[in-house]
Amino acid sequence: MRIFNTMSRTKEEFVPVDENEVKIYACGPTVYNYIHIGNARPLCVFDVLRRYMEYRGYNVKFVQNFTDIDDKIINRANEEGISFEEVSKKYIKEFWTDAHGLNFKEASVHPKATENIDEIIDIIGTLVDKGYAYAANGDVYFRTMKFNDYGKLSHQPIDDLVSGARIAVGEHKENPLDFALWKGAKEGEPYWESPWGKGRPGWHIECSAMNRKYLGNTIDIHCGGQDLIFPHHENEIAQSECANGCTFSKYWMHNGYINVDNVKMSKSLGNFKTVREIANVYGYEVIRYFLISSHYRSPINYSIDIIEQCKSALERLYTCRDDLDFAVKNAPVKESEEDAELIEALSNRREQFIEAMDDDLNTADGISALFELTKDINTKIINKGVSEKVSKYAADLYDELCGVLGLLYNRKSNDLDAEIEALIEKRQEARKNKDWATADKIRDDLKAKGIILKDTPQGVTWVKE
């Protein structure tokens, strides 16, 4: 597998640090509001990365954090007149509603910043002892100029970064580019005790501390949205490599931005869309399909027309999979001379899928391979009277590829209740007796119940609306 590494700006062959385990860290949400589709894109994209690596035989340890103490959380708590713990608890719960709706596979660990204060204080202490950090009036700052490689991820010259940096009122930095590791507590703010006084961690340091605790000093892949490259990930590299004395992450993966109606999504523009509000209209799976339907590094545009197209595409996949169930159920058990040829043709789509996904997680081409498989199934299997062996192979392969992408997870049971089964049987009997009026009435009655019948040469199949 080749991965586009943000650090080198080239596609590199993926070689794990430890052949026994692939370690992946994905930056999680700051829990003060419902997640929007910008948050959901890395959630879905890197969920596919994790699924694909497991599919390819890797043992993956996947860590995604929650930032549960932050200025935004404190501000929300003050607005609502509740504690910051209540705010973070509320929105972590809402996060899981959306994440499970999107079929996100829970990480190996979901650590919270507030549960790792000791580890955060420990890594800050190491940086202070090594001279990479300094205390100033209750705060602790990182000496950015002391890390010679600062800017290597974002590929920005240090002089350009310094020229754009400013010291805010109340800060006591040695250099405008220095950033906070520990923030001294202000009146009325939550705090923890530390060697530098009462305070709370800065945003960047929590990820360095949790990476080290749960994954070790050097990880395989660090991933997140493109907006995190600078300063968040740049600062993580500086902190971690200075504290640990080794490479922080071997590969860096970043997904592209989301536009809304061809305008960059932004809270200041008021055009951001929450996952919840879209899901209330279209359901979660359409959102997941939309977010993985383009290459993860490309910008992606949200619009009603595009979401409708994604809905139609998903319906086509569901229809094919339902038709496969019917084909398996009604296929002749006897094998034929064509079986080997058909299975080979289908298996070629697996190879096409793997080739796409091996090329920097190209889910767009991976989905294209799935639709080519759909076409093959519709033209070569459905209603063709192929053997049970071939029909079953096709169904298993379909489930295999959809499982890697995390799709078709809302399939309804094909177990009809006794009343509907009786109606279908009664309609079949009416058709045999050429009682077309009764047969048509039963079809209409079933349609009213959301059951659509399809008459095929092999018998009656049906789908639920």
Side-chain angles (χ1 to χ4, degrees):
M1 182 178 185
R2 293 184 302 157
I3 290 174
F4 183 89
N5 191 348
T6 307
M7 182 72 74
S8 65
R9 291 185 173 178
T10 60
K11 287 183 185 178
E12 300 178 14
E13 192 71 27
F14 177 72
V15 180
V17 175
D18 181 348
E19 63 180 14
N20 296 316
E21 185 176 64
V22 173
K23 300 173 182 178
I24 304 175
Y25 187 93
C27 286
T30 300
V31 284
Y32 71 101
N33 206 340
Y34 295 95
I35 62 170
H36 53 69
I37 54 174
N39 305 131
R41 191 177 191 192
L43 194 70
C44 292
V45 163
F46 299 119
D47 177 63
V48 174
L49 172 68
R50 185 254 191 101
R51 288 170 182 265
Y52 184 66
M53 288 197 153
E54 290 176 341
Y55 172 69
R56 297 290 274 153
Y58 291 108
N59 176 32
V60 178
K61 187 172 184 181
F62 185 77
V63 176
Q64 184 185 57
N65 72 302
F66 288 114
T67 296
D68 61 341
I69 181 65
D70 177 87
D71 289 340
K72 293 174 182 177
I73 296 172
I74 294 171
N75 292 339
R76 176 56 65 93
N78 292 335
E79 289 170 7
E80 298 187 10
I82 58 178
S83 68
F84 86 91
E85 292 100 335
E86 289 174 290
V87 170
S88 62
K89 183 177 180 180
K90 172 184 176 180
Y91 287 108
I92 287 174
K93 181 179 178 181
E94 298 296 350
F95 166 86
W96 281 121
T97 296
D98 291 333
H100 290 148
L102 291 166
N103 200 28
F104 172 72
K105 185 178 178 181
E106 291 189 20
S108 310
V109 188
H110 282 282
K112 301 180 182 71
T114 58
E115 296 173 344
N116 291 276
I117 297 298
D118 289 345
E119 287 76 17
I120 291 169
I121 289 173
D122 182 63
I123 196 170
I124 294 174
T126 299
L127 291 168
V128 171
D129 292 344
K130 288 186 172 184
Y132 288 108
Y134 58 94
N137 200 37
D139 299 326
V140 180
Y141 294 100
F142 182 85
R143 284 192 175 96
T144 305
M145 299 300 287
K146 193 173 174 64
F147 181 55
N148 294 331
D149 288 336
Y150 194 77
K152 65 180 179 178
L153 181 67
S154 56
H155 302 278
Q156 299 183 72
I158 193 78
D159 291 341
D160 291 351
L161 295 172
V162 171
S163 65
R166 298 289 183 271
I167 297 178
V169 175
E171 293 182 325
H172 299 81
K173 298 180 181 181
E174 294 176 354
N175 186 291
L177 202 57
D178 294 350
F179 57 88
L181 303 174
W182 187 260
K183 297 182 177 182
K186 298 176 184 176
E187 186 67 29
E189 285 188 348
Y191 65 84
W192 288 262
E193 297 288 349
S194 81
W196 314 284
K198 296 177 179 179
R200 57 189 171 88
W203 175 36
H204 314 298
I205 194 66
E206 66 177 86
C207 288
S208 287
M210 288 187 278
N211 259 289
R212 187 167 76 171
K213 178 179 178 180
Y214 296 101
L215 295 174
N217 290 348
T218 300
I219 67 174
D220 291 285
I221 303 172
H222 199 310
C223 46
Q226 188 177 337
D227 57 311
L228 297 181
I229 295 174
F230 186 87
H232 185 50
H233 288 168
E234 197 74 74
N235 291 351
E236 278 189 67
I237 291 170
Q239 298 162 164
S240 294
E241 296 193 355
C242 289
N244 303 330
C246 58
T247 299
F248 176 37
S249 181
K250 191 172 181 182
Y251 305 92
W252 292 83
M253 298 177 72
H254 295 93
N255 63 271
Y257 290 114
I258 291 185
N259 297 324
V260 176
D261 294 323
N262 296 308
V263 177
K264 183 180 175 182
M265 190 175 72
S266 166
K267 290 188 177 179
S268 62
L269 295 175
N271 68 340
F272 72 99
K273 301 286 184 180
T274 67
V275 168
R276 189 70 54 85
E277 65 181 303
I278 301 172
N280 285 340
V281 178
Y282 294 98
Y284 285 102
E285 190 169 7
V286 175
I287 301 172
R288 182 181 180 96
Y289 183 94
F290 161 68
L291 293 172
I292 66 172
S293 60
S294 298
H295 191 283
Y296 77 92
R297 286 191 288 114
S298 302
I300 191 170
N301 184 55
Y302 172 88
S303 71
I304 297 300
D305 287 345
I306 291 173
I307 286 293
E308 289 285 356
Q309 291 169 18
C310 291
K311 180 183 176 184
S312 297
L314 259 181
E315 288 172 352
R316 185 181 170 199
L317 296 179
Y318 270 99
T319 298
C320 180
R321 187 59 187 82
D322 289 341
D323 287 345
L324 277 171
D325 272 345
F326 182 78
V328 170
K329 182 179 179 181
N330 294 278
V333 176
K334 185 178 179 181
E335 298 180 13
S336 74
E337 295 178 356
E338 297 178 350
D339 284 2
E341 183 180 341
L342 283 170
I343 288 175
E344 182 180 1
L346 295 172
S347 67
N348 287 338
R349 298 307 180 192
R350 178 193 285 112
E351 299 309 311
Q352 181 184 346
F353 178 84
I354 289 172
E355 183 178 355
M357 299 291 279
D358 271 354
D359 186 13
D360 193 30
L361 200 70
N362 193 335
T363 53
D365 285 356
I367 289 174
S368 293
L370 181 59
F371 274 102
E372 290 292 330
L373 176 61
T374 301
K375 182 180 178 182
D376 290 342
I377 289 168
N378 287 334
T379 58
K380 298 176 182 178
I381 294 178
I382 304 302
N383 300 331
K384 299 298 182 182
V386 299
S387 72
E388 181 182 31
K389 177 182 178 180
V390 173
S391 297
K392 184 90 168 50
Y393 181 88
D396 290 344
L397 178 58
Y398 216 74
D399 290 342
E400 178 185 318
L401 303 189
C402 286
V404 175
L405 297 169
L407 296 176
L408 300 198
Y409 56 93
N410 286 312
R411 292 190 66 221
K412 298 174 182 176
S413 170
N414 282 354
D415 294 329
L416 292 179
D417 59 42
E419 179 188 358
I420 295 175
E421 287 181 347
L423 284 171
I424 291 177
E425 184 63 32
K426 186 177 178 181
R427 177 177 178 269
Q428 290 296 88
E429 190 64 29
R431 283 169 58 85
K432 288 179 184 178
N433 296 330
K434 298 185 179 181
D435 183 359
W436 309 119
T438 298
D440 290 346
K441 184 179 184 305
I442 292 173
R443 175 189 283 273
D444 293 341
D445 289 344
L446 287 171
K447 185 175 182 180
K449 295 175 182 291
I451 305 296
I452 306 301
L453 301 184
K454 294 181 179 179
D455 294 310
T456 74
Q458 284 72 44
V460 179
T461 186
W462 56 272
V463 293
K464 289 185 179 181
E465 287 186 313

